[in-house]
Amino acid sequence: MPYGRPCPARHRTELALEAGPFMSDFSIHSGQAHHAWDRTIAPVATLAPGDEAVLEFQDASGGQLGRASAAADLTTLDFGTLNPVTGPLHVAGAEPGDALVVDILDVQVGEWGWTACLPGFGLLADDFPDPHLRISAIGDGHAELLPGLRIPVVPMIGTIGVAPPEPGPHSVIPPRRWGGNMDIRHIGPGARLILPVGVAGALLSAGDAHAAMGDGEVCGTGIETRATVRLRVDVRKGAAPRTPVIETDPVSARAGAALATTGIGPDLMEAAKDAVRALIDEITARTGLAPQDAYLLASVAADLKISEVVDAPNWVVTAHVERALLAGG
C-alpha cells in the first residue's frame, strides 16, 4: 500500500488507512500477519538500522467481530486466529545478544473498538463466566464505552516482540523474554522499547492495538481496535537486556484525582483479585453500572499497582481509577 507525504495534523483516533497519513521507508499491510511466534516465518520486509516502517494492525479478533457484533458472537470466536501480529520484519545486522531498539513514533487507532468478557479468560473469570461485549465509538480523543461514559484515548500496542530462538510455533497469548503480548499500556506514541534479540534479523512483529487500557487489563481486553503504527528500528551490538525495557512518554501518564481500592494478603494474585472486586463494588455503587460493565471499565481505565511487598506476611495491591469517570466521584 503506498504512503505519500504526511497529511495535515489530525487526532490519532482518526484512522485513515486509505489516505496513508505517514511517510516511511516500508509500508506493511494488515494482511501480512501471523498467529504464532516462530523463527521460521519468512519476513515480509528487511529494514536497516534507522529505517522507519508503517504497519497496519488488525483488531485482536482478527476481523471476527464488527460494529454490529453481540455477546453471542463471542462464543463462536476461533481462538486460533486471535491476536494476529503484523510482520515479521527482518532487521539487518541484528544478531543474538544484541538489543533491538524500537521507537514508537505514532499510533492512529480506528473509529470503533470492542471490549469483552470472554468466558474462562481474565483475572475474575470465575466471577464473570458469561460472555459480555461492548462496542465503543472512537473519536474526538475519547472512546464511548457506554452512552455518556467517555474514556480518554491513549493509544498503545498490546503485542510487540521478536522471534524466540526456541523451535516453534509458540502461542502469541503469553508474553516471554522476547516480548510479545505484554499489554503494557505505556508502549505507545513517544515510547522506546528495547528488546533482546534471539535470532538473526530479530524478526520483529506487532499487533493488538488498544485505544485505551488499564494497567492489568483485568477482564482480558482493552478497547480493541485496528490501528496504523509508525515505528523506527535500531540495533545496539552486544547490549541485549535481560528482559524488555521501556522508556515511556508523558502522554501515557495519568494525573487526575483517583479512587483507589485495596487487596491485602500473602498472595499477590489473590490481592489483585480482591482489589479489583472492591473497585467493581465502588464503581457500581457510585455510577449504577452493572457489575459486568464496571469490570469492563476497570479493564480499560483502571490501573493495578503493587503498593507494598516488604511487610511480610501480607502484601498490598491497589486498583486506581480516575474519579472523573465516576458519577459523584
Side-chain angles (χ1 to χ4, degrees):
M1 186 176 90
Y3 284 83
R5 295 183 179 276
C7 293
R10 66 176 80 190
H11 194 278
R12 290 188 177 99
T13 60
E14 296 180 11
L15 181 66
L17 296 178
E18 296 82 6
F22 299 135
M23 176 182 289
S24 69
D25 299 293
F26 298 89
S27 300
I28 313 302
H29 193 272
S30 62
Q32 295 173 294
H34 55 100
H35 300 91
W37 297 109
D38 194 324
R39 66 187 187 184
T40 66
I41 296 175
V44 299
T46 295
L47 281 64
D51 279 349
E52 295 183 10
V54 169
L55 283 69
E56 292 181 10
F57 292 178
Q58 302 176 39
D59 75 281
S61 79
Q64 296 181 79
L65 298 177
R67 295 187 89 155
S69 292
D73 296 316
L74 300 174
T75 64
T76 61
L77 288 176
D78 177 2
F79 276 71
T81 59
L82 294 184
N83 237 41
V85 287
T86 300
L89 306 177
H90 180 104
V91 181
E95 298 289 343
D98 295 343
L100 181 69
V101 180
V102 184
D103 289 312
I104 313 301
L105 303 177
D106 209 346
V107 178
Q108 292 191 6
V109 298
E111 296 178 349
W112 67 275
W114 61 271
T115 307
C117 290
L118 299 172
F121 191 61
L123 182 66
L124 302 182
D126 291 340
D127 296 21
F128 296 95
D130 299 323
H132 186 62
L133 176 69
R134 291 294 182 183
I135 304 295
S136 298
I138 302 172
D140 298 323
H142 291 82
E144 193 166 40
L145 182 69
L146 291 162
L149 180 55
R150 303 176 76 230
I151 310 298
V153 166
V154 183
M156 51 83 65
I157 300 171
T159 303
I160 182 168
V162 297
E166 299 81 12
H170 304 275
S171 170
V172 296
I173 300 303
R176 298 173 176 82
R177 181 198 174 198
W178 315 104
N181 189 25
M182 298 181 289
D183 282 314
I184 299 171
R185 69 176 191 83
H186 307 282
I187 301 177
R192 169 172 285 179
L193 174 63
I194 305 169
L195 294 164
V197 174
V199 300
L203 299 182
L204 174 71
S205 300
D208 185 30
H210 303 88
M213 195 196 79
D215 281 323
E217 196 188 28
V218 294
C219 84
T221 56
I223 297 180
E224 311 287 337
T225 185
R226 298 185 305 149
T228 301
V229 173
R230 182 166 60 99
L231 53 79
R232 180 174 57 238
V233 298
D234 200 359
V235 176
R236 295 178 182 170
K237 302 302 293 182
R242 292 177 183 271
T243 55
V245 173
I246 303 100
E247 298 176 10
T248 70
D249 187 274
V251 73
S252 65
R254 301 196 207 272
L259 169 73
T261 54
T262 62
I264 301 172
D267 183 285
L268 283 174
M269 283 298 294
E270 291 304 316
K273 292 178 181 180
D274 288 344
V276 173
R277 289 180 179 123
L279 185 62
I280 291 170
D281 290 345
E282 289 290 334
I283 292 172
T284 57
R286 293 172 183 240
T287 66
L289 289 178
Q292 298 95 320
D293 287 322
Y295 187 32
L296 298 192
L297 175 59
S299 194
V300 303
D303 297 325
L304 278 181
K305 303 183 182 184
I306 298 175
S307 296
E308 181 267 295
V309 288
V310 296
D311 296 327
N314 292 334
W315 329 123
V316 180
V317 176
T318 49
H320 300 241
V321 67
E322 291 192 332
R323 284 162 48 194
L325 296 175
L326 309 178

